[in-house]
Amino acid sequence: MGATFKQVSENKEISEKEGFGTILVSSFIIVGIGLFMIKIANIHPLVTVLTMLALGWFGRPLTRKLFGDYANNSDLIGELVLDTTSISWINNNSIQVLNCSDIDSINLRYNYIQGRQFAFKDIIHNGLAIMTIQTKLNHTAHVKFLIETEQQLEELKPVWKDYYQQKIKIKEIMGKYEVRTLLFEKVNFSFYEMQELKKGLNEG
């Protein structure tokens, strides 16, 4: 049981460039195209409306990768493998293996799935993530990786749950707006309720 992700270079910035501003600008552009089609090109309003809907539906996903924050082949350096007994990744051109029994905490900051929205009206995410691992001997490791498919997250969920049950302290933060998640699902609980949920997982 495990999940495998493409590992990304430490030099790759994981922050996302899409936000409210870019969505607003793209909306103005689409409206401008619509006005041009009707007022200047004299295209039938129905055709114009259909074109605007198509641009709104397909335009963002097609242009999203042009923002410069997507990982490309030159950013990829190997594989990150997470299973219930160990985590392995590339470190200084060699494979680093860390047993789960040696891990004290994991802090995960991730941007959901590349090219996907976490919720309706959400930004389109770049899929980049960084995992900060603290060992029981007080060593720290940072691993950046790319989430490309929903299947990868589904494969990771049982492993992640097992980490909770191994009493590894875990924190999950998703996206530029720092949405709190638990097992990669959004939660709307208070800090106390969140701790109780995590306690239940630790005792599971």
Side-chain angles (χ1 to χ4, degrees):
M1 183 193 304
T4 302
F5 301 88
K6 291 176 182 175
Q7 188 181 340
V8 176
S9 167
E10 293 180 12
N11 299 324
K12 181 67 177 179
E13 174 59 52
I14 76 160
S15 60
E16 299 186 287
K17 292 188 177 179
E18 187 176 36
F20 176 76
T22 57
I23 294 172
L24 192 64
V25 169
S26 63
S27 298
F28 279 128
I29 290 172
I30 291 171
V31 170
I33 291 171
L35 290 173
F36 172 82
M37 291 175 69
I38 291 175
K39 299 290 186 181
I40 299 175
N42 293 318
I43 295 174
H44 193 280
L46 179 60
V47 175
T48 300
V49 169
L50 291 175
T51 301
M52 291 174 67
L53 288 173
L55 287 172
W57 188 260
F58 299 108
R60 274 181 68 204
L62 290 175
T63 59
R64 175 65 181 89
K65 63 183 65 176
L66 302 177
F67 288 15
D69 60 335
Y70 265 36
N72 53 50
N73 288 336
S74 63
D75 297 313
L76 306 178
I77 60 171
E79 285 187 341
L80 165 68
V81 180
L82 300 98
D83 62 36
T84 55
T85 59
S86 66
I87 299 175
S88 63
W89 68 95
I90 298 297
N91 183 27
N92 294 325
N93 297 319
S94 62
I95 298 175
Q96 174 85 41
V97 179
L98 181 61
N99 292 326
C100 291
S101 58
D102 296 325
I103 298 174
D104 179 64
S105 66
I106 298 175
N107 188 337
L108 176 67
R109 189 178 190 90
Y110 70 108
N111 294 328
Y112 198 50
I113 301 167
Q114 186 182 68
R116 296 279 300 277
Q117 295 170 279
F118 185 74
F120 182 64
K121 292 186 177 179
D122 187 20
I123 66 173
I124 295 175
H125 294 282
N126 62 21
L128 292 168
I130 181 168
M131 186 168 57
T132 302
I133 305 169
Q134 191 77 23
T135 72
K136 293 176 181 177
L137 295 177
N138 208 30
H139 296 145
T140 303
H142 304 281
V143 187
K144 292 183 180 179
F145 61 100
L146 178 64
I147 304 170
E148 298 178 280
T149 66
E150 188 171 353
Q151 182 181 347
Q152 286 178 311
L153 279 186
E154 290 303 315
E155 290 172 351
L156 181 56
K157 282 180 182 179
V159 177
W160 209 245
K161 184 176 181 180
D162 193 272
Y163 291 170
Y164 276 106
Q165 292 170 347
Q166 292 183 51
K167 295 183 171 49
I168 296 173
K169 295 187 285 290
I170 294 175
K171 181 179 180 182
E172 304 172 27
I173 296 292
M174 195 280 294
K176 66 188 298 181
Y177 302 113
E178 299 189 345
V179 175
R180 291 185 303 167
T181 62
L182 185 68
L183 294 175
F184 311 103
E185 300 290 341
K186 184 178 179 181
V187 290
N188 294 309
F189 301 114
S190 67
F191 176 79
Y192 175 77
E193 291 171 322
M194 176 73 85
Q195 297 312 304
E196 287 297 305
L197 281 171
K198 287 186 176 182
K199 183 180 177 182
L201 283 170
N202 289 147
E203 294 174 349

